[in-house]
Amino acid sequence: MSQTTRTAPAAARTGKGLASGQLGLLAVVVIGISTIAPAYVLTSTLGPTVQAIGTYLPAIFIVGFVPMFLVALGYRELNADSPDSGTTFTWVTKAFGPFVGWMGGWGLLAANIIVLSNLAGVAVDFFYLFLSQLTGSQAIADLAANKVVNVLTCLVFVALAVWVSCRGMKTTKTVQYVLVIFQLGVLAWFVLGALAKLGTVPEAQPLAFDWEWFNPFGIESFSAFAAGLSLSIFAFWGWDVCLTMNEETTNGKRTSGIAAAVTAIAVLVIYLLGSVATIMFAGIGDTGLGLNNPDISENVFTAIAGPVMGPFAILLSLAVLSSCASSLQSTMISPARSLLAMGYYKALPERFARINPRFQSPVYATVVAGAVSAGFYTLMRFVSDNVLNDTIMALGLMICFYYGLTALACVWYFRRTAFVNARSFLFRFLFPLLGGLALVVVFLQTAVDSWDPAFGSGSEVFGVGLVFIIGVGIIALGLVAMLLFYRRNPAFFRGQTLEQDSPALVVPE
């Protein structure tokens, strides 16, 4: 282990050298909501999801919530037994062995890298939109379409997010309280404004509220259902950051699990209110403000903010920008601490396990995560004409992969105690099993469908859809990387640093 970790005072640090007891339940929930970024998710997924399943947005959000919540219950059980910032990597390794565990960790890292690049992309769009609205100059908004300007601005955003993350949890907590409160306040204003202006905007095609929107069986085909569900799962992704912070949370064994569940439920309520209000106001037509209009599908709020909020539309742009910025920063937590754990257990070079003594945070791992996400975004911006849509749909694949694997790891890890009582049967076997299998099915269906370029933006490489190449290709790349690290770091892969019987870290109460 690193020298910093070995010499850290036990009263102030966890086993890996992270500062303990910095976060309470409210702080963890706020950071969890920040990572999910409801304002960003709504504007970037409403269009693609409506294109897949029409008015059944509320239904697909509820259906997407169910497996995610079931998986969250499995996460909670694993966290209570073996709290560790490595989460998926550590738990899957203990359940299925080092090779599968390494791929689980790779899936988590890949998902975070993809979403970090996507968050930065949306932040760039809304940054220039905000400046355009502020100055009244359309030319400023058009700068986001300039690939060079876009990429350079993205790099600045990523650098700022890395800087805040490197300064530790105290700085992160302060930033997140401000940005999340503002984001949710403006979203509430938007929802009330949309409902108040029903039928008053000519470009909109309002719809009367219908309980049928909550019926998932009304979706026409399983492929459409799977596509919508994949996007819905992406919409809930990020609550697991609550578990990633378990070593830095007061009573992390209990608090982190509760925070994950509270975060998921709170976000579901936000999505239902936001989606219903948007459908009722704009409708699902393919012209004007209709949610099926391809010209506005990538960032729905860009088009409908003005008609809903009038001169205060700039606040919605600023809310989405703050949502992206806050999530961009808080999302750094998961890959940085996963890299820290992989370095700690010697699945990666030991330098990833270094803790900065001043800020008590994994600075090296954070910088690496930020650099890779920036590089990925730069590549995708020049390859795809619709980078946001393609990366969101590919992200659904990665989420299903590592969440599903973790849920099934819970089932296998607790197999000897799953049937000792009713609680163990439900929370350690049945719920995570159902959640994990549901995500596996969605992963397989989405992988098959995404082979067709029409599944995403139409971008392709040798006739193969870019969504498939991003999602499945990254998993294949992980296999290659694993073999390379196996040759350089054989101790982990031989079960010498982490196995099922390895004692759990002592997380201070």
Side-chain angles (χ1 to χ4, degrees):
M1 310 306 170
S2 67
Q3 183 66 28
T4 302
T5 301
R6 288 197 301 268
T7 61
R13 306 289 187 92
T14 69
K16 299 189 186 72
L18 296 167
S20 62
Q22 297 186 89
L23 305 171
L25 177 62
L26 179 60
V28 177
V29 170
V30 167
I31 293 175
I33 293 175
S34 163
T35 303
I36 296 175
Y40 149 72
V41 169
L42 283 172
T43 191
S44 59
T45 63
L46 284 178
T49 310
V50 166
Q51 290 175 0
I53 49 94
T55 58
Y56 293 95
L57 272 174
I60 210 68
F61 277 133
I62 293 173
V63 172
F65 167 80
V66 171
M68 296 295 266
F69 190 72
L70 295 177
V71 169
L73 295 176
Y75 268 72
R76 186 184 67 176
E77 294 299 308
L78 288 166
N79 181 71
D81 178 87
S82 301
D84 193 288
S85 65
T87 58
T88 291
F89 160 74
T90 303
W91 299 332
V92 175
T93 297
K94 296 186 76 169
F96 295 136
F99 290 96
V100 181
W102 200 96
M103 285 304 300
W106 175 269
L108 183 152
L109 292 171
N112 279 274
I113 295 303
I114 291 173
V115 83
L116 282 170
S117 69
N118 195 275
L119 284 164
V122 178
V124 170
D125 290 343
F126 276 89
F127 173 70
Y128 286 111
L129 175 63
F130 170 71
L131 292 181
S132 174
Q133 293 172 330
L134 192 64
T135 61
S137 172
Q138 179 59 37
I140 294 179
D142 294 339
L143 287 174
N146 183 307
K147 291 184 177 181
V148 174
V149 172
N150 188 294
V151 168
L152 290 176
T153 308
C154 170
L155 296 180
V156 172
F157 282 147
V158 172
L160 289 173
V162 169
W163 178 76
V164 174
S165 298
C166 287
R167 294 183 64 85
M169 280 299 182
K170 290 183 179 179
T171 303
T172 293
K173 179 172 62 174
T174 301
V175 170
Q176 295 306 330
Y177 272 128
V178 174
L179 295 179
V180 170
I181 290 173
F182 175 73
Q183 171 191 171
L184 296 184
V186 175
L187 273 180
W189 185 346
F190 170 79
V191 168
L192 294 175
L195 295 177
K197 292 191 175 183
L198 290 177
T200 64
V201 179
E203 296 85 0
Q205 303 158 35
L207 294 174
F209 176 82
D210 191 342
W211 285 107
E212 176 64 19
W213 300 346
F214 293 80
N215 175 23
F217 300 103
I219 300 174
E220 295 180 354
S221 70
F222 183 75
S223 291
F225 179 87
L229 184 57
S230 179
L231 289 165
S232 175
I233 287 171
F234 157 72
F236 287 100
W237 175 82
W239 52 260
D240 56 315
V241 73
C242 299
L243 287 306
T244 303
M245 299 181 289
N246 51 24
E247 295 183 42
E248 297 157 280
T249 301
T250 301
N251 193 9
K253 283 188 175 184
R254 181 175 181 272
T255 303
S256 295
I258 295 174
V262 171
T263 298
I265 293 171
V267 169
L268 173 63
V269 173
I270 295 169
Y271 287 159
L272 292 179
L273 293 174
S275 62
V276 169
T278 305
I279 292 174
M280 291 179 67
F281 173 81
I284 61 169
D286 58 6
T287 59
L289 299 179
L291 298 181
N292 261 317
N293 185 344
D295 294 332
I296 70 170
S297 63
E298 189 169 296
N299 284 319
V300 168
F301 286 170
T302 303
I304 63 179
V308 170
M309 301 179 69
F312 297 100
I314 191 172
L315 292 179
L316 187 58
S317 298
L318 190 58
V320 177
L321 176 59
S322 69
S323 176
C324 294
S326 63
S327 184
L328 182 64
Q329 189 272 309
S330 60
T331 301
M332 290 284 180
I333 294 171
S334 282
R337 280 147 185 79
S338 293
L339 288 169
L340 167 67
M342 295 178 80
Y344 182 84
Y345 293 114
K346 301 187 183 300
L348 289 176
E350 192 172 351
R351 58 181 173 271
F352 284 97
R354 294 173 184 166
I355 297 294
N356 181 278
R358 178 183 176 188
F359 299 117
Q360 299 178 335
S361 68
V363 170
Y364 180 83
T366 303
V367 171
V368 170
V372 174
S373 65
F376 178 80
Y377 178 81
T378 301
L379 175 65
M380 286 298 301
R381 177 54 71 178
F382 285 99
V383 168
S384 175
D385 294 328
N386 194 353
V387 64
L388 299 180
N389 190 21
D390 285 337
T391 53
I392 285 173
M393 302 190 84
L395 178 61
L397 277 169
M398 302 309 303
I399 293 168
C400 289
F401 173 73
Y402 89 86
Y403 271 13
L405 190 59
T406 308
L408 297 179
C410 175
V411 175
W412 187 250
Y413 183 77
F414 293 115
R415 65 190 183 279
R416 294 185 179 89
T417 60
F419 301 97
V420 297
N421 54 47
R423 186 195 179 283
S424 294
F425 173 75
L426 292 175
F427 290 95
R428 295 187 169 188
F429 178 77
L430 184 61
F431 291 159
L433 177 64
L434 293 176
L437 290 178
L439 295 183
V440 168
V441 170
V442 175
F443 172 84
L444 294 175
Q445 182 66 46
T446 305
V448 171
D449 292 342
S450 63
W451 182 273
D452 185 351
F455 183 82
S457 67
S459 299
E460 62 179 66
V461 177
F462 302 115
V464 180
L466 190 61
V467 174
F468 179 91
I469 291 175
I470 296 171
V472 178
I474 287 177
I475 294 176
L477 181 63
L479 291 171
V480 175
M482 181 177 67
L483 294 177
L484 293 176
F485 282 110
Y486 171 72
R487 297 187 63 180
R488 297 186 60 181
N489 300 75
F492 167 76
F493 294 97
R494 292 172 182 168
Q496 297 172 358
T497 61
L498 177 63
E499 55 187 8
Q500 182 168 350
D501 296 330
S502 296
L505 292 175
V506 177
V507 178
E509 297 292 330

